Amino acid sequence: MTELFMAGICFGLLFFIMFCFGHFVFLFAGSEEGMSIQHLLISGFIIYFFLFEFFAFPMMILKLPLNILSAVWGVTVAVLVLLVCLKFGKRWIQVWKKRKKQGHSFSFYLMLLLIGLQCVFVALWSDNSADAAYYVANVSANVATNTINIYEPFTGVQMDRFYTRYLFGMYPVHNSVVCQLTGIHPLLYTKTVTSVVTVFLSYTVYAQIGRKLFSGCRENVWKFLCFLSVIQFFFHTVYSNASFLLMRGYEGKAILANVVLPFVLYLGLCLYDDIQNKRIWLMVFCAGIAGVDISMSALSIVPVAVTAVCISVIIARRAWRCLKYYIVCVLPSVGFIIVYLLVSRGYLVLAI
């Protein structure tokens, strides 16, 4: 029962932290126009994992203990959240009082029901695949040995070099940090909490896309999410994003397919409306690094998605000067790919 209570606390705390991190976009915005709760949540999620990469990867390469990363990251997050609360706390209370007076339609409650059913499904679903075992074993090995990706998850044998396939993917390391800080069991956190979080974040992004497609009409957005929920329930193939969302939501690839890539599409819609907005370009830049932090599959997929979205908008708007922003956004991905190729081909050895 204590573990389940901690799981609920972790779930709520993660969303509150993401919500707070999302407020950093105010630093690059001329106004707060368009800053919905959904926008703040998903932007905060991207910024959160964008920053985590710069904390976790160097500490892994330096072979520092996991508790050092946990302490440094925990203090950093606590300080940033406190600063945001002090600056925006009064505004949150005012917004909450206004929202309490607003009513909701049948479509809104149907949407909540359908998303809630998906959350229950992923929380109860049991996946015994090799990937599932690796994700849980990796987090467990890190927590048990107080190390960062030093020991082979399946055998417990110390590796002679860092696993190239997951070299930049620090998402399991983040799960290890949360488990160490909260004491929650890695199996419960990775298979239940993160899966439910993925479902909520996925529909958060879709809600923002709906706001763009339907010019902010809330009723149409709720109907749009209901329609998507039905598709997610019944569209299952081996590698569809629906299968990853409802059956493998704890994996980085599921977050990449259902959160990061739709978010890139959403940013493209934002750029079409305001291609000169540097805040949007900043989020495109952060999404590229955050995607790699979450899943190594993003090494090639995210740059291709960013290219398809941004170049299309630049051509449509004839905004050739914005090509420089696009180049800056894909440069980190090019750097990640070069390092990955050097390590995988043996030209650069990251020995343990």
Side-chain angles (χ1 to χ4, degrees):
M1 185 60 69
T2 303
E3 289 283 346
L4 292 176
F5 176 76
M6 285 303 303
I9 293 297
C10 286
F11 178 80
L13 188 59
L14 281 173
F15 271 92
F16 179 70
I17 291 173
M18 294 172 195
F19 177 70
C20 290
F21 269 66
H23 283 73
F24 288 112
V25 297
F26 284 137
L27 299 176
F28 305 93
S31 68
E32 299 175 21
E33 183 180 356
M35 294 295 181
S36 64
I37 294 177
Q38 295 91 342
H39 184 101
L40 292 171
L41 278 175
I42 191 59
S43 297
F45 172 80
I46 294 298
I47 294 172
Y48 181 88
F49 281 100
F50 166 80
L51 293 176
F52 186 76
E53 179 73 16
F54 293 98
F55 281 79
F57 183 74
M59 291 192 183
M60 182 189 74
I61 297 300
L62 294 173
K63 298 181 282 292
L64 295 179
L66 178 66
N67 62 346
I68 299 296
L69 173 60
S70 299
V72 173
W73 182 245
V75 171
T76 301
V77 170
V79 170
L80 293 178
V81 168
L82 178 61
L83 292 175
V84 170
C85 289
L86 292 175
K87 183 173 179 59
F88 298 100
K90 293 183 179 179
R91 187 171 304 161
W92 293 344
I93 297 175
Q94 295 172 355
V95 173
W96 173 252
K97 290 180 178 179
K98 291 181 180 179
R99 286 184 175 272
K100 285 180 64 177
K101 300 178 181 179
Q102 297 177 353
H104 295 291
S105 64
F106 172 78
S107 299
F108 175 79
Y109 293 108
L110 178 60
M111 174 204 67
L112 292 182
L113 175 63
L114 292 174
I115 296 176
L117 289 175
Q118 291 174 74
C119 292
V120 173
F121 180 85
V122 300
L124 299 178
W125 176 259
S126 178
D127 181 15
N128 299 318
S129 66
D131 284 343
Y134 183 87
Y135 269 86
V136 177
N138 188 18
V139 176
S140 299
N142 289 338
V143 174
T145 61
N146 193 34
T147 58
I148 305 175
N149 295 343
I150 298 294
Y151 292 91
E152 211 286 327
F154 289 137
T155 63
V157 176
Q158 181 174 323
M159 297 184 291
D160 58 351
R161 63 185 65 184
F162 292 105
Y163 196 6
T164 307
R165 184 179 176 184
Y166 298 102
L167 183 62
F168 300 113
M170 296 290 106
Y171 180 66
V173 177
H174 172 263
N175 294 342
S176 303
V177 168
V178 174
C179 290
Q180 187 175 69
L181 289 175
T182 62
I184 188 174
H185 195 282
L187 179 61
L188 178 61
Y189 181 76
T190 55
K191 296 295 289 292
T192 302
V193 177
T194 59
S195 294
V196 176
V197 168
T198 301
V199 172
F200 269 95
L201 287 175
S202 178
Y203 284 100
T204 297
V205 182
Y206 290 139
Q208 286 302 103
I209 293 175
R211 284 167 60 91
K212 285 293 181 181
L213 295 178
F214 302 111
S215 302
C217 178
R218 292 185 177 182
E219 183 65 18
N220 288 338
V221 173
W222 309 147
K223 293 178 180 179
F224 175 61
L225 294 184
C226 290
F227 175 72
L228 288 177
S229 296
V230 175
I231 293 179
Q232 299 285 28
F233 269 124
F234 296 103
F235 186 65
H236 291 291
T237 60
V238 178
Y239 292 114
S240 70
N241 67 314
S243 296
F244 272 93
L245 178 66
L246 298 183
M247 298 180 182
R248 304 169 67 176
Y250 54 87
E251 296 184 25
K253 292 187 287 292
I255 301 176
L256 175 62
N258 290 283
V259 179
V260 179
L261 293 180
F263 182 66
V264 172
L265 173 61
Y266 165 67
L267 291 175
L269 296 174
C270 293
L271 286 174
Y272 188 81
D273 292 336
D274 187 7
I275 197 170
Q276 298 291 342
N277 193 320
K278 294 182 180 179
R279 172 174 56 83
I280 303 174
W281 284 107
L282 176 65
M283 291 309 303
V284 176
F285 177 83
C286 292
I289 297 178
V292 175
D293 181 80
I294 292 167
S295 172
M296 285 286 286
S297 299
L299 276 177
S300 57
I301 296 178
V302 171
V304 170
V306 169
T307 299
V309 169
C310 294
I311 295 300
S312 298
V313 174
I314 289 174
I315 293 175
R317 290 302 190 188
R318 301 181 183 274
W320 311 115
R321 293 183 179 180
C322 292
L323 281 172
K324 59 185 178 183
Y325 299 138
Y326 158 74
I327 293 174
V328 171
C329 289
V330 297
L331 274 179
S333 297
V334 174
F336 281 130
I337 293 173
I338 292 174
V339 174
Y340 173 77
L341 291 175
L342 290 175
V343 174
S344 61
R345 297 296 186 273
Y347 297 110
L348 177 63
V349 179
L350 299 178
I352 295 176

